[in-house]
Amino acid sequence: MAPAVQSSRRGARVMNDYESKQGPSVAAVAAGAAIGALAIYILRTDQGRKLLDQAVTLLDDFSAEAARFQKAATRAQVAVSDSWQAVKGSTMSSTGGGRETVF
């Protein structure tokens, strides 16, 4: 006999328990606005622009190094795959006399 299907939606009820009834608090909105204003003020100064330029340079360097690492990892993956195929092929081919190469 099949189990009875529940008519109430437990998942929806649980989600509604976690939702805030008042929405975002005023303190959170004010803190976000203050942080945004501070960031704009800092980036409009000469030192802030220099800091932003340094951050962009660092991100560019990091991006280049990540690309180099990805290329190296790809080359290593190809080398391992080729080596595995060579080993796999050498163990399955006969070397004469009907014997297989064993490592």
Side-chain angles (χ1 to χ4, degrees):
M1 181 168 199
V5 177
Q6 296 178 355
S7 62
S8 65
R9 292 184 169 182
R10 184 179 186 285
R13 188 174 64 237
V14 170
M15 289 300 292
N16 287 335
D17 289 343
Y18 290 113
E19 288 180 8
S20 174
K21 305 287 189 254
Q22 301 169 0
S25 68
V26 175
V29 172
I35 291 170
L38 180 65
I40 290 171
Y41 175 75
I42 289 174
L43 293 176
R44 285 183 167 243
T45 63
D46 288 335
Q47 290 178 345
R49 282 190 220 114
K50 288 178 186 176
L51 181 66
L52 181 62
D53 289 340
Q54 287 175 350
V56 168
T57 303
L58 285 174
L59 287 174
D60 285 342
D61 291 344
F62 178 76
S63 173
E65 290 298 320
R68 284 183 55 215
F69 180 75
Q70 182 181 14
K71 287 179 184 178
T74 301
R75 285 193 310 264
Q77 183 180 15
V78 168
V80 167
S81 177
D82 290 346
S83 299
W84 178 251
Q85 292 301 322
V87 167
K88 188 175 171 184
S90 70
T91 59
M92 292 190 179
S93 67
S94 62
T95 58
R99 294 184 353 207
E100 293 184 356
T101 305
V102 179
F103 290 98

